[in-house]
Amino acid sequence: MDTPAEAFTVLASKDGQVIQHTGVNLAHQVESTLQDMALAWPRRRRRSLFKPPVLWAVWVLPDAQLTCFEWPCSPSWGPRDIEAECRLEASARMQIPIADMALDYIVQRTPEGQLTVKVWHCPQVKVNALTLQAKELGLTLQVITAHSQKADVAKFLGLSKEALPC
């Protein structure tokens, strides 16, 4: 990554209950969270002992680690056009091929009715590294997002945004 993390927070949520650990050693934070989960939420005996639970991961990166831009959409653009234009513009801004770039975007409507798009992008190698790191910790990466999208992350996890430490 471009900027090393000063601290990691690992958060687990079930039925509105939140367990979290923050520190500089990500592997230790994951292990501590898993131990607390086992105590707080014992596994039912009906589940197979051979099939471990799937643990989802969400990377919430500082906004500075992702490049972001916004711009208006042409009224004639359809969904495929918007995605293609986002990829072309992000590729030009990053000066890398489209295949080497990871991208996400959201289309919004202004109060005047104009469609705009907000785009987040970074090199694909960064996404690959985060995915590998999650996998090595026994986690299944579901989302990579920016801190500014905290409300959407909380909604995805079924939490209030105040419950998130980041």
Side-chain angles (χ1 to χ4, degrees), residues 126-158:
K126 180 182 279 190
V127 171
N128 296 346
L130 293 171
T131 302
L132 180 62
Q133 191 173 15
K135 185 176 180 180
E136 288 172 351
L137 292 167
L139 307 172
T140 302
L141 187 61
Q142 294 291 312
V143 175
I144 298 174
T145 192
H147 181 267
S148 61
Q149 300 306 297
K150 179 179 172 178
D152 290 335
V153 172
K155 186 176 179 182
F156 175 79
L157 295 172

Side-chain angles (χ1 to χ4, degrees), residues 3-165:
T3 308
E6 294 177 16
F8 298 96
T9 296
V10 176
L11 178 134
S13 169
K14 182 176 180 180
D15 300 328
Q17 184 181 8
V18 176
I19 296 172
Q20 70 182 41
H21 291 277
T22 300
V24 295
N25 183 326
L26 179 58
H28 178 70
Q29 305 323 314
V30 169
E31 184 59 35
S32 296
T33 303
L34 290 173
Q35 289 173 359
D36 286 354
M37 285 171 57
L39 292 172
W41 309 313
R43 288 180 41 178
R44 295 185 185 129
R45 294 191 188 274
R46 292 183 302 184
R47 287 190 176 173
S48 168
L49 297 176
F50 301 106
K51 184 179 177 187
V54 175
L55 301 172
W56 288 1
V58 176
W59 280 109
V60 181
L61 302 175
D63 285 60
Q65 291 209 3
L66 298 171
T67 306
C68 181
F69 64 90
E70 292 183 57
W71 47 290
C73 298
S74 171
S76 63
W77 289 353
R80 288 185 180 164
D81 301 315
I82 292 172
E83 182 173 355
E85 292 294 333
C86 289
R87 291 190 181 285
L88 288 171
E89 182 66 21
S91 176
R93 289 175 184 237
M94 288 181 69
Q95 305 260 323
I96 64 171
I98 291 174
D100 296 342
M101 178 186 60
L103 175 136
D104 195 12
Y105 64 92
I106 186 169
V107 178
Q108 299 171 319
R109 188 175 302 276
T110 66
E112 299 79 32
Q114 169 72 37
L115 290 180
T116 63
V117 65
K118 184 169 186 176
V119 180
W120 295 269
H121 55 99
C122 67
Q124 184 64 44
V125 295
K126 180 182 279 190
V127 171
N128 296 346
L130 293 171
T131 302
L132 180 62
Q133 191 173 15
K135 185 176 180 180
E136 288 172 351
L137 292 167
L139 307 172
T140 302
L141 187 61
Q142 294 291 312
V143 175
I144 298 174
T145 192
H147 181 267
S148 61
Q149 300 306 297
K150 179 179 172 178
D152 290 335
V153 172
K155 186 176 179 182
F156 175 79
L157 295 172
L159 302 170
S160 70
K161 71 178 183 180
E162 292 77 27
L164 287 182

